Amino acid sequence: MNPQPNSHPSNSEEPSSAMSVALAWLFVGVPLAWGVSQTFIKALALFN
Amino acid sequence: MADNSASLLDRSRTVAGPGYNRWLVPPAALAIHLAIGQAYAFSVFKKPMGALISGNVDAPAPDDWTAGQLAVIFSIAIVLLGLSAAVFGKWLERVGPRKAMMASALCFGGGFLIASLGVHLHQIWLVYFGYGFVGGCGLGIGYISPVSTLIKWFPDRPGVATGMAIMGFGGGAMIGSPLAVALMAQFKDMAPMGVAPTFIVMGLIYLAFMMFGVFTIRVPAEGWKPEGYVAPVTSSALITTANVDADNAIKTPQFWLLWVVLCMNVTAGIGVLESASPLIQESFSDAAMGAGRGVTAAAAAGFVGLLSLFNLLGRFFWSSASDKLGRKPTYMIYFGLGIALYALVPTLAASASLTLFVVVCCVIMSMYGGGFATIPAYLRDMFGTMQVGAIHGRLLTAWSTAGILGPLLVNYLRDNQKAKGLTGAAAYESVFYTMAGVLVVGFIANILVTAVSERYHVKKAAAAPAGA
């Protein structure tokens, strides 16, 4: 994904695959989902 | 080696090739914002850091740091956020997002490491310098670094794009808080309260996490546009096709009106955040609700968590909605609806309408978050895309101002009412009515926003090199 040294990236870069997009979203989505779930569990105390 | 590393960070090395999927850019931006959003979870360290010598949060030693000393850490960070965003905005536009993200990661992660040394040596000034000053610079540079790039990748829906990134800042606190609690528990036998090693581990985790953003981010090639996208010629007088540079932008009345808009929206939101937990406990106590039916401290903490969730969701929802509604009407909703809801809160608290109270506060918090997330797209509409990151950086001084003045104002009003002997919801009436007044100021400022005069526009030939 990263450009090769000494070559212009706009000419050398491979097109992004759907898999790389999915992995990128997973990389940030998993910690975010964990944080949201922790907050949601804490918020449930209000309704108990 | 050093030269290669440096060039990898250059703007020219981050221009996307054909086939690059623009949906890789939001995760890159999120990696930065999810990390720096930890700042809003810093309060989780307050009690442990106030008991490093005694080892008991309920019985601090005389030499332990006080709550006042510890509050300064966050204040320095939030001031430096605004200042660094303002100062480094033009540098960011020149060097591109990757170098700026790298600087942010080094400052934010490094700030934790310096602060760890400060905690270890029990030198508060070192914590101020590390987390507050160095980390605060990381916050400011990181906050604005992906915004301009996102707007250029998503000219068809800038509100959605910036909403996603700035939603990450809200989510960062949700990750940072439980992570810090877990790490301090893990390291509690290794160092006083486990704080110093927790700072080291968090600094390294965030540094690594932000590297993903650094090496994933790309800027679009000159003249790139989404497939099938045709830029609207003049769909609205408030959406320019021209560009205004950062130096000229701050000379326009529109910039300062938007500064007031952001400052008022943040100040009012802080009114709720500062009052939420004590207000719900005092207004919906056992005495008001009946024995055993009052809101406990744990339930109040849950309420604060719920507000955080709506703050997060509002950032994406309202910013995305602004693409359809228009920026000015969206802020009309924030302020118009906000005035009504803020004025309603004391009545709901006094009448013990818990469900309605919670719903109203959640809507208010969603608009507080929405205000943060919609402002970059508003700036893009007014000043064009050329230096929107730098202009956004300068506007963030409004956040710093509100971040310092807001809590002072809220605490003064609340303490003043309590000194008069008022309790429960009555002690908070002046807070919410004042905040409704603050929103009136924002409402008026937003009404006064008009198109930027053409004399501030950059001539087309001069605008071209700063594209991408």
Side-chain angles (χ1 to χ4, degrees):
Chain A
M1 186 184 292
N2 295 324
Q4 295 300 308
N6 304 321
S7 64
H8 196 283
S10 56
N11 295 326
S12 64
E13 199 168 47
E14 293 289 322
S16 335
S17 67
M19 178 65 84
S20 65
V21 176
L23 286 174
W25 277 99
L26 270 178
F27 185 79
V28 293
V30 168
L32 177 60
W34 178 72
V36 168
S37 70
Q38 295 295 308
T39 309
F40 187 73
I41 290 165
K42 199 169 109 181
L44 284 178
L46 180 63
F47 303 103
N48 289 335
Chain B
M1 177 70 182
D3 285 342
N4 277 348
S5 302
S7 64
L8 262 180
L9 301 176
D10 284 348
R11 170 185 276 278
S12 60
R13 303 297 300 274
T14 59
V15 178
Y20 179 81
N21 190 322
R22 65 174 174 165
W23 287 99
L24 280 167
V25 180
L30 274 167
I32 302 297
H33 274 239
L34 283 172
I36 62 176
Q38 179 280 336
Y40 266 107
F42 190 77
S43 60
V44 77
F45 292 113
K46 273 187 176 174
K47 281 195 169 182
M49 286 176 75
L52 293 172
I53 293 174
S54 72
N56 181 353
V57 293
D58 296 321
D63 288 339
D64 266 320
W65 293 331
T66 64
Q69 284 177 300
L70 293 167
V72 173
I73 303 168
F74 179 76
S75 298
I76 295 173
I78 210 78
V79 168
L80 262 295
L81 183 156
L83 290 179
S84 59
V87 169
F88 292 108
K90 281 186 75 177
W91 171 77
L92 154 70
E93 297 291 356
R94 194 173 69 250
V95 302
R98 183 177 285 175
K99 197 175 275 185
M101 285 177 171
M102 176 64 92
S104 167
L106 293 174
C107 286
F108 191 64
F112 264 110
L113 301 184
I114 297 168
S116 165
L117 186 64
V119 169
H120 178 69
L121 300 173
H122 207 256
Q123 296 291 324
I124 190 82
W125 68 270
L126 205 46
V127 184
Y128 289 163
F129 175 71
Y131 191 90
F133 189 88
V134 179
C137 287
L139 288 179
I141 298 169
Y143 193 89
I144 59 170
S145 58
V147 166
S148 163
T149 305
L150 278 165
I151 285 177
K152 286 162 189 165
W153 274 113
F154 292 87
D156 45 343
R157 31 190 161 176
V160 172
T162 57
M164 273 187 283
I166 292 174
M167 177 184 75
F169 197 85
M174 295 183 187
I175 298 168
S177 180
L179 178 64
V181 169
L183 288 173
M184 284 190 286
Q186 183 71 28
F187 296 129
K188 67 179 189 297
D189 299 329
M190 191 186 289
M193 311 304 290
V195 175
T198 295
F199 274 9
I200 293 174
V201 171
M202 288 184 82
L204 295 175
I205 287 175
Y206 284 129
L207 186 62
F209 193 70
M210 291 168 86
M211 283 304 124
F212 170 77
V214 169
F215 291 105
T216 305
I217 195 82
R218 294 286 189 281
V219 294
E222 190 70 35
W224 178 90
K225 58 184 180 180
E227 208 174 305
Y229 172 70
V230 180
V233 185
T234 45
S235 61
S236 159
L238 287 179
I239 303 177
T240 184
T241 52
N243 288 293
V244 180
D245 66 34
D247 292 340
N248 270 326
I250 60 168
K251 295 175 187 164
T252 65
Q254 286 81 2
F255 175 87
W256 293 105
L257 287 169
L258 292 180
W259 194 96
V260 172
V261 161
L262 182 64
C263 188
M264 296 302 112
N265 193 56
V266 177
T267 302
I270 286 171
V272 175
L273 286 170
E274 287 279 316
S275 310
S277 179
L279 174 60
I280 197 169
Q281 288 182 75
E282 292 173 29
S283 302
F284 301 95
S285 61
D286 276 357
M289 306 290 286
R293 297 185 62 210
V295 172
T296 62
F303 176 56
V304 174
L306 196 65
L307 294 182
S308 305
L309 281 174
F310 275 83
N311 178 5
L312 173 103
L313 295 172
R315 288 167 190 248
F316 184 67
F317 172 79
W318 286 110
S319 186
S320 302
S322 76
D323 283 342
K324 302 282 181 202
L325 299 172
R327 293 349 137 181
K328 191 169 178 176
T330 304
Y331 276 91
M332 288 297 187
I333 295 172
Y334 296 158
F335 290 124
L337 182 59
I339 291 164
L341 295 182
Y342 273 78
L344 192 61
V345 166
T347 307
L348 294 174
S351 62
S353 310
L354 180 60
T355 307
L356 260 179
F357 173 86
V358 170
V359 169
V360 164
C361 288
C362 287
V363 175
I364 285 174
M365 283 318 295
S366 78
M367 296 192 295
Y368 166 75
F372 276 114
T374 314
I375 206 76
Y378 207 164
L379 292 171
R380 172 261 199 190
D381 289 354
M382 303 299 302
F383 301 105
T385 58
M386 190 181 81
Q387 290 196 344
V388 67
I391 299 168
H392 185 216
R394 293 177 185 198
L395 198 82
L396 290 184
T397 51
W399 179 6
S400 293
T401 306
I404 299 299
L405 294 182
L408 287 175
L409 178 64
V410 170
N411 290 325
Y412 168 77
L413 291 168
R414 185 177 58 199
D415 295 346
N416 192 38
Q417 294 299 92
K418 288 194 169 179
K420 288 179 184 168
L422 296 172
T423 57
Y428 295 87
E429 273 184 5
S430 65
V431 171
F432 281 87
Y433 292 147
T434 303
M435 292 307 144
V438 162
L439 290 179
V440 171
V441 177
F443 188 84
I444 293 168
N446 189 48
I447 283 180
L448 295 175
V449 173
T450 53
V452 174
S453 166
E454 283 184 16
R455 69 193 164 101
Y456 294 108
H457 291 175
V458 174
K459 301 286 177 285
K460 289 214 184 306

